[in-house]
Amino acid sequence: MKILTFILLTFFSATDIIAQPYTIDARVNPPEFRSSHLKMGGSNYLGESFSANNYYMSINENPAIPVTGEFHFTRYPNCFWDEAIKKIKAGGISILATYVFWNLHEEQEGKWDWTEDRNLRKFIELCKYNNVKVILRIGPYGHGEIRNGGLPDWLLGKKLSIRSNDPVYLTFVDRLFQQISKQVEGLLFRDGGPVFAIQLENEYQHSASPWGLTYPGQPHDWTASKQDKRMTQQGVGVAQETNPYAALGNQHMSVLKSLAEKNGLIVPLYTATGWGNAAIIENESIPVTAAYPYPNWAPASLSNFYLYTNLQKFPDYAPVRYKSEDYPYFAAEIGGGMMIRYTRRPTVPAQSLEALINRFLGSGANGLGYYMYHGGSTPVGKKFFLSDEPFGYPKISYDFQAPLSEYGKPAESFNCLKVLHFFLNSFGDRLAPMQVVLPHNSEQIKAEEVSVLRYSMRVKNNSGFIFMNNFQDHIVRKDITGIKFKIKFEDKEIVFPEKSEFTLVKDESAIFPVNLNLGNVKLNYATAQLLTSGNDSQGDYFVFFNPPGISPEFSFPIEKGLVIKG
């Protein structure tokens, strides 16, 4: 006898109604998974391993969709670090990313400070204690709305060219990396520690910060090398021109990696911000991407971040400098909120994040990350405020409207995202190898259309998930009614729901399983969303919930001996 237990968490909402058919042709050839071109990955004495192919990352040789949350230890009191890490983990986050801001640790030349709220070693040890992996963003440039993007003030007075292969500059970078290495000694992945990845630089040859040594009315003096200043942007965006020094930029990234390795900062994975034609280390770093639908550095406008696409072929903020289909799509810097500034004060609704993650997953993203996931407060320096004052940011508050606030209070987005993280923790190994299949009219759908259903599917071996969202930034959507799907597989066609149609109310999103094995039982479809799974003395169990306005319907093939409990 096969016993399947399902648990349904129910939420209700009023809706109203219109009718349309929606079709997906899931008869596709399997994707080609390649890894020989990537010089990355590694294992440790505990038997843990990280690796990557051109489509997804693997943890302990299992496909995975890692979820990263940004939290800056130097922006939070060290006495509450343990509590903050536990909250982040409770939100379903498996990896924590943090900056090492150079100017917070060497505010005065030669005087290093790794104590109290700047105690990197203590922070990494707490991550290890809480079994949370770490991506360490070591710079030397970081941005992060910090003064000079993290470069110390005293560096401006030196006879050198910052963010370049200038030998004098690299001498100071080498010294920084040596200091960081001392702090994390024994805490790297190879030693059984939590630091499994390192990000080098940030938005290199894409953006920069203004030096903090400025006065009202002065044009910004950008923290960029001389040859890159003409191409420099103030925030994440599309690079309109090709940088003639692109090869030199990639070389500089390789030099930074060599300096990191020279100082013992050796990890399985290195990452580099790859959006907007930024520099990466070809085949030796994972180019991570971003999405900010509510940027404070640009006017309010409709974005395409809620439209499904094939992100491996068409990355956000393209053009990019690398062949995107050679790497897994890791959306590591999704705007988990946004800072306000003097001239622009966007508000980020919680539903926007849930829909954004749905869109990323439905578009082939196989890694997620939030900037920020936990807010904080920028410390005050010995002589200056250490916030990015020339851009008109708050002098101290770095709340960022994050899922966990400046003081650790959960926001509405914390709970919206948690259900998606739990889903990925339970089903990410299945989803990661699935390829994107889009409806035939996907390229014609525009952000300004308020009553057209956005949807996509991810498929492998005649099984998959339907993704849909009904949210758009800076515009009011309408309820999408009369929804019924027809999915064409190699051996059959599934039409659902069988009994009726359903409505996706405005601002909501959903992920529905189709032709999916649940334990040793096949599920034809469900108009309910998977939350998590487990097993007990009675066998496997699966927890679903229904998105607001959608009545749950489950369909199983008729099979002798099948008992459904719920």
Side-chain angles (χ1 to χ4, degrees):
M1 178 185 293
K2 297 179 180 179
I3 299 177
L4 176 69
T5 302
F6 63 92
I7 303 166
L8 178 65
L9 308 179
T10 305
F11 306 93
F12 295 98
S13 175
T15 61
D16 58 40
I17 311 186
I18 294 177
Q20 301 193 40
Y22 300 98
T23 302
I24 287 278
D25 189 345
R27 298 171 296 182
V28 292
N29 294 322
E32 178 190 2
F33 299 139
R34 299 176 287 108
S35 60
S36 59
H37 63 294
L38 297 177
K39 301 173 184 177
M40 58 183 71
S43 58
N44 63 20
Y45 73 93
L46 297 173
E48 301 173 317
S49 65
F50 279 87
S51 59
N53 60 31
N54 63 311
Y55 205 74
Y56 59 83
M57 289 164 279
S58 291
I59 301 175
N60 301 333
E61 300 184 356
N62 295 313
I65 299 181
V67 182
T68 303
E70 187 90 11
F71 173 53
H72 299 159
F73 67 101
T74 48
R75 281 176 157 142
Y76 211 66
N78 71 88
C79 59
F80 297 120
W81 284 347
D82 183 63
E83 177 186 301
I85 294 168
K86 284 179 166 63
K87 287 179 181 176
I88 291 169
K89 188 175 180 181
I93 299 294
S94 55
I95 298 167
L96 196 152
T98 196
Y99 273 123
V100 180
F101 291 119
W102 186 359
N103 59 351
L104 267 63
H105 299 287
E106 195 187 11
E107 192 174 349
Q108 296 175 277
E109 185 178 359
K111 296 182 180 179
W112 294 92
D113 187 355
W114 301 99
T115 64
E116 297 179 340
D117 295 348
R118 292 166 168 80
N119 191 335
L120 174 61
R121 184 170 191 82
K122 176 182 176 180
F123 179 72
I124 302 299
E125 286 174 340
L126 285 170
C127 290
K128 180 179 181 180
Y129 174 76
N130 285 284
N131 195 27
V132 173
K133 292 291 188 278
V134 174
I135 299 176
L136 204 59
R137 306 177 77 174
I138 64 173
Y141 172 81
H143 208 302
E145 290 73 49
I146 209 84
R147 185 179 176 88
N148 312 327
L151 299 178
D153 279 78
W154 52 262
L155 206 61
L156 181 59
K158 302 289 184 183
K159 292 183 178 180
L160 52 80
S161 177
I162 60 167
R163 303 180 75 187
S164 76
N165 288 333
D166 182 305
V168 180
Y169 173 69
L170 292 177
T171 298
F172 287 110
V173 174
D174 183 41
R175 194 183 63 175
L176 168 67
F177 287 179
Q178 184 180 48
Q179 283 283 326
I180 295 172
S181 181
K182 288 178 182 178
Q183 297 303 311
V184 299
E185 185 177 359
L187 294 171
L188 299 176
F189 180 76
R190 62 179 180 176
D191 303 312
V195 182
F196 81 100
I198 284 175
Q199 181 186 300
L200 299 162
E201 248 284 345
N202 192 62
E203 301 174 346
Y204 185 58
Q205 291 192 317
H206 176 76
S207 77
S209 305
W211 282 99
L213 298 170
T214 186
Y215 56 84
Q218 177 193 7
H220 289 319
D221 184 4
W222 295 104
T223 52
S225 63
K226 184 177 180 180
Q227 68 265 20
D228 292 330
K229 285 189 177 181
R230 185 177 66 86
M231 310 294 298
T232 294
Q233 300 185 176
Q234 65 167 294
V236 179
V238 174
Q240 302 293 347
E241 301 177 60
T242 300
N243 192 329
Y245 300 100
L248 192 61
N250 286 3
Q251 182 193 34
H252 177 62
M253 293 292 286
S254 293
V255 170
L256 292 180
K257 184 185 176 189
S258 297
L259 287 176
E261 292 177 327
K262 167 182 172 286
N263 285 289
L265 294 169
I266 300 170
V267 290
L269 301 179
Y270 293 86
T271 69
T273 45
W275 56 78
N277 220 19
I280 71 160
I281 310 169
E282 189 174 5
N283 296 329
E284 295 183 34
S285 63
I286 293 179
V288 301
T289 65
Y292 288 99
Y294 297 89
N296 62 36
W297 53 85
S301 62
L302 297 178
S303 76
N304 289 327
F305 295 133
Y306 299 94
L307 302 179
Y308 296 102
T309 184
N310 187 326
L311 286 168
Q312 261 213 321
K313 293 181 179 179
F314 308 105
D316 290 329
Y317 298 116
V320 294
R321 192 177 297 186
Y322 54 91
K323 186 179 178 182
S324 58
E325 291 171 277
D326 281 349
Y327 304 90
Y329 197 91
F330 190 172
E333 198 165 304
I334 297 168
M338 182 48 58
M339 282 284 284
I340 63 167
R341 60 193 294 185
Y342 189 77
T343 55
R344 177 97 165 82
R345 305 187 181 199
T347 298
V348 181
Q351 296 93 333
S352 69
L353 276 173
E354 185 177 5
L356 194 60
I357 300 309
N358 180 296
R359 175 265 186 177
F360 268 110
L361 294 175
S363 299
N366 275 332
L368 302 175
Y370 302 97
Y371 193 99
M372 299 285 295
Y373 189 77
H374 194 310
S377 307
T378 304
V380 179
K382 292 179 172 59
K383 294 183 179 179
F384 313 103
F385 285 98
L386 291 174
S387 62
D388 193 346
E389 289 190 273
F391 272 161
Y393 288 115
K395 287 181 167 58
I396 293 177
S397 176
Y398 201 69
D399 178 82
F400 219 89
Q401 303 176 55
L404 289 167
S405 77
E406 180 176 6
Y407 304 110
K409 180 181 179 181
E412 184 183 354
S413 57
F414 179 86
N415 292 320
C416 288
L417 295 173
K418 187 175 182 177
V419 296
L420 293 169
H421 303 159
F422 281 20
F423 165 72
L424 292 177
N425 288 337
S426 291
F427 301 98
D429 59 335
R430 299 202 209 184
L431 182 60
M434 291 180 175
Q435 64 180 301
V436 177
V437 182
L438 298 168
H440 67 90
N441 66 334
S442 61
E443 293 184 7
Q444 281 76 53
I445 297 174
K446 306 300 181 184
E448 59 268 22
E449 294 173 329
V450 298
S451 56
V452 175
L453 180 68
R454 294 102 174 263
Y455 67 102
S456 74
M457 189 170 185
R458 287 184 65 171
V459 178
K460 181 187 177 187
N461 297 335
N462 294 316
S463 179
F465 295 91
I466 285 279
F467 296 81
M468 64 197 94
N469 83 76
N470 194 12
F471 183 91
Q472 178 64 50
D473 57 282
H474 304 101
I475 199 171
V476 178
R477 294 277 296 175
K478 294 182 179 180
D479 292 354
I480 308 297
T481 58
I483 300 172
K484 184 184 285 283
F485 285 103
K486 182 186 291 184
I487 313 298
K488 296 179 181 179
F489 291 113
E490 294 289 349
D491 57 345
K492 61 179 169 181
E493 185 174 274
I494 293 179
V495 178
F496 77 93
E498 296 168 2
K499 293 183 178 180
S500 62
E501 299 161 341
F502 67 86
T503 296
L504 185 64
V505 298
K506 67 177 183 179
D507 298 338
E508 291 297 333
S509 56
I511 305 171
F512 290 160
V514 184
N515 211 33
L516 193 72
N517 286 323
L518 298 180
N520 59 0
V521 174
K522 174 75 76 174
L523 172 69
N524 288 331
Y525 70 84
T527 57
Q529 187 164 325
L530 277 163
L531 176 65
T532 188
S533 65
N535 57 74
D536 56 23
S537 59
Q538 297 187 52
D540 297 325
Y541 64 84
F542 298 87
V543 183
F544 291 77
F545 67 95
N546 65 308
I550 300 177
S551 297
E553 184 175 302
F554 297 83
S555 172
F556 299 91
I558 298 173
E559 187 176 347
K560 187 177 179 180
L562 175 63
V563 177
I564 299 175
K565 299 170 63 178

